[in-house]
Amino acid sequence: MMNPYAPPCYNGINDSSPPGFRDVDYTYILDATAAAGGTTGSGTVFLNTDSDADFIWRGLVIIAGNNGQFAVRFSDGNGYFLCNELINSLNLQGDGASPFPISPGDLLVPKGVPLRIDVETPDQLSPVYVEFQFRGVKRWAL
Amino acid sequence: MNILDYKTPDGFVDLPYAFVFDATNLTNGLNYQNVAVPIQGDFDSFILRHIAGVPLCVSSVNSSLVGGRFNYRNANSSYALGNASIGAIFPANWPVVPEKVYPIGSSIAIDLYSVSKNATACGGTPIYNSQIAFFGAKRFRKGSIFVQETPYDYFERWYTFNYSVTVDWAHFNSSGAVQQPHRFRQRVDSFDFELLRVIVSPPLTSGASLHTNDIQLTLFGPTERQMSSLPLNQGFINSGWIDGSVDFYAAPPYQAVFPTPSIVYPANSVIEFDVVSMLCSTSIPVTYTISFEGIWRLPK
């Protein structure tokens, strides 16, 4: 029986895989170091996605060491940036229990296609260590 | 289809359950890969919905993000997260969406990097509460277990049974052996009761909420089925908010709502639970209030 106090995922969420596919919870992890005072281009890193299944990106977690503030922007699987300028990382905050939602809609990253992440640290005097956690699902063809 | 209106597959029944990994026997500072949490029992499959407690078993990361990490595997042995040989920084509670199915006889294989077991200092012997709990549901075939269905027309009323437990025994006895759990029973009188939350509170005179895992609990269902493979840290199932600074209360660190899915205790049955003391002999006795909150099914 559904527990009304519990978050939806504790009670269970019905399978929303499209016909012919099976979605499986998956998280890509990218550990990166952004140099102090880095500007666009110098702080570009890529997440190399696996070639076994498409990835549906639904949530983002940024864990940063030091004082943890930097500017960032992401591209989608087609190489299009998701914002016109870099965003302060503090504005994309979530944690593993409640990630920053990539919403509305599913953001599909085709298998094997890298995601580009630009990181700027103009005000930092020391490197910023950061872990990006890309929460979502791998979409397996049945 | 409303994805939030969850439907257990036809022919099956789900009951709340947590498989617990106890890290007590691991060595601090080491890395472990493919440690198996076996999925065994009399059910069809285990449905994993969230993971609690990783920070109690691995070290904190430093400013360079060097430190404790975690990863786990699906039932087919593929990793649930990238970074196969490094793992990820894990929070106290990690939702698994969509849920993962582990068939009976499989295992949840886990990797722990930079083990650091959380413990209460007790003389020279630490009391470890380093656990990782895999919460979800055991899925049974219909007919293989008894499930309470209220045999009368009813309306629902919010109701709480409070049970006072005085922990007057320490984790270790005088010869240094770990003491057995003590069993308690809360009578469910008069009407059927749907249990929705468990709240553990320290004495009001303490002036604070319960931040530490002073006790571990094993909760039993109406047919004496235990709802976890080992006694659970109270924090993992305690829905009580915790005090922070003045006038500020914070959500429970493990976002605990247990049991989920909920279960129904028939009228005149008991909510049975075991309590393991995690207290040092210098800290006893302490009286806790355990609140069983839910819905009373009153006859129409």
Side-chain angles (χ1 to χ4, degrees), chain B residues 106-120:
Chain B
S106 65
S107 63
I108 304 172
I110 61 174
D111 297 348
L112 298 110
Y113 299 94
S114 185
V115 164
S116 176
K117 298 176 290 183
N118 199 58
T120 304

Side-chain angles (χ1 to χ4, degrees), chain A residues 1-17 23-33 50 52 58 61 63-67 95-99 127-133 135-138 140, chain B residues 1-7 14 49-50 62-65 69 72 74 79-83 86-91 93-100 158 194-197 254-264 293 297:
Chain A
M1 282 166 293
M2 195 196 83
N3 188 329
Y5 287 123
C9 86
Y10 291 17
N11 280 303
I13 295 173
N14 285 316
D15 183 13
S16 60
S17 311
D23 288 351
V24 177
D25 171 72
Y26 194 78
T27 302
Y28 278 107
I29 307 292
L30 178 65
D31 290 297
T33 305
D50 298 335
D52 51 10
R58 290 176 174 161
V61 179
I63 303 169
N66 298 341
N67 66 14
D95 62 29
S98 50
V128 172
Y129 300 91
V130 59
E131 178 167 299
F132 296 102
Q133 299 181 344
R135 307 287 315 262
V137 296
K138 273 190 175 178
W140 296 90
Chain B
M1 178 184 66
N2 180 354
I3 63 168
L4 299 183
D5 183 18
Y6 187 77
K7 297 277 185 278
D14 287 351
R49 291 181 177 148
H50 68 114
N62 62 17
S63 60
S64 304
L65 300 188
R69 286 164 180 267
Y72 72 104
N74 301 314
Y79 272 111
L81 296 88
N83 260 13
I86 301 169
I89 301 165
F90 248 61
N93 188 39
W94 179 272
V96 177
V97 182
E99 62 197 21
K100 291 181 185 291
W158 180 55
E194 182 181 350
L195 178 62
L196 298 176
R197 297 204 301 177
Y254 298 98
Q255 286 96 35
V257 184
F258 190 79
T260 303
S262 63
I263 54 170
V264 175
E293 184 183 337
R297 294 181 169 178

Side-chain angles (χ1 to χ4, degrees), chain B:
Chain B
M1 178 184 66
N2 180 354
I3 63 168
L4 299 183
D5 183 18
Y6 187 77
K7 297 277 185 278
T8 301
D10 287 343
F12 293 92
V13 174
D14 287 351
L15 291 182
Y17 197 79
F19 281 96
V20 183
F21 173 73
D22 182 358
T24 302
N25 292 327
L26 304 187
T27 303
N28 283 342
L30 296 186
N31 301 332
Y32 293 84
Q33 286 189 310
N34 289 322
V35 181
V37 180
I39 306 298
Q40 295 176 340
D42 56 351
F43 50 94
D44 191 75
S45 53
F46 175 67
I47 315 300
L48 175 63
R49 291 181 177 148
H50 68 114
I51 302 169
V54 170
L56 296 179
C57 299
V58 299
S59 63
S60 305
V61 291
N62 62 17
S63 60
S64 304
L65 300 188
V66 174
R69 286 164 180 267
F70 179 80
N71 206 343
Y72 72 104
R73 292 177 185 263
N74 301 314
N76 67 0
S77 295
S78 61
Y79 272 111
L81 296 88
N83 260 13
S85 58
I86 301 169
I89 301 165
F90 248 61
N93 188 39
W94 179 272
V96 177
V97 182
E99 62 197 21
K100 291 181 185 291
V101 179
Y102 291 84
I104 185 73
S106 65
S107 63
I108 304 172
I110 61 174
D111 297 348
L112 298 110
Y113 299 94
S114 185
V115 164
S116 176
K117 298 176 290 183
N118 199 58
T120 304
C122 182
T125 313
I127 301 171
Y128 291 110
N129 58 65
S130 45
Q131 291 186 336
I132 300 171
F134 299 87
F135 283 94
K138 275 181 173 179
R139 180 157 290 167
F140 295 86
R141 290 188 183 278
K142 250 181 191 162
S144 66
I145 56 159
F146 171 77
V147 177
Q148 172 67 11
E149 290 181 6
T150 298
Y152 52 86
D153 290 340
Y154 61 89
F155 64 97
E156 298 179 337
R157 175 160 295 169
W158 180 55
Y159 195 78
T160 300
F161 290 101
N162 281 327
Y163 195 100
S164 184
V165 173
T166 299
V167 178
D168 56 4
W169 70 100
H171 186 70
F172 298 114
N173 64 19
S174 55
S175 55
V178 176
Q179 303 226 58
Q180 292 294 310
H182 289 207
R183 182 158 293 184
F184 301 90
R185 293 176 183 87
Q186 167 62 55
R187 182 146 184 257
V188 177
D189 50 0
S190 306
F191 312 112
D192 287 7
F193 178 72
E194 182 181 350
L195 178 62
L196 298 176
R197 297 204 301 177
V198 177
I199 299 170
V200 185
S201 314
L204 283 174
T205 50
S206 71
S209 54
L210 193 54
H211 288 256
T212 50
N213 289 311
D214 295 1
I215 55 174
Q216 293 179 336
L217 293 160
T218 304
L219 203 59
F220 293 84
T223 55
E224 299 271 319
R225 283 181 178 277
Q226 62 187 62
M227 293 191 224
S228 59
S229 58
L230 292 172
L232 285 159
N233 285 334
Q234 68 81 20
F236 289 1
I237 60 172
N238 187 355
S239 293
W241 283 48
I242 58 172
D243 55 318
S245 55
V246 175
D247 293 335
F248 172 74
Y249 275 73
Y254 298 98
Q255 286 96 35
V257 184
F258 190 79
T260 303
S262 63
I263 54 170
V264 175
Y265 291 84
N268 300 314
S269 65
V270 292
I271 301 172
E272 194 167 69
F273 59 101
D274 285 352
V275 175
V276 175
S277 170
M278 303 297 282
L279 297 172
C280 203
S281 58
T282 53
S283 303
I284 57 172
V286 182
T287 299
Y288 303 92
T289 301
I290 301 179
S291 303
F292 299 99
E293 184 183 337
I295 293 168
W296 230 5
R297 294 181 169 178
L298 303 178
K300 279 184 178 171

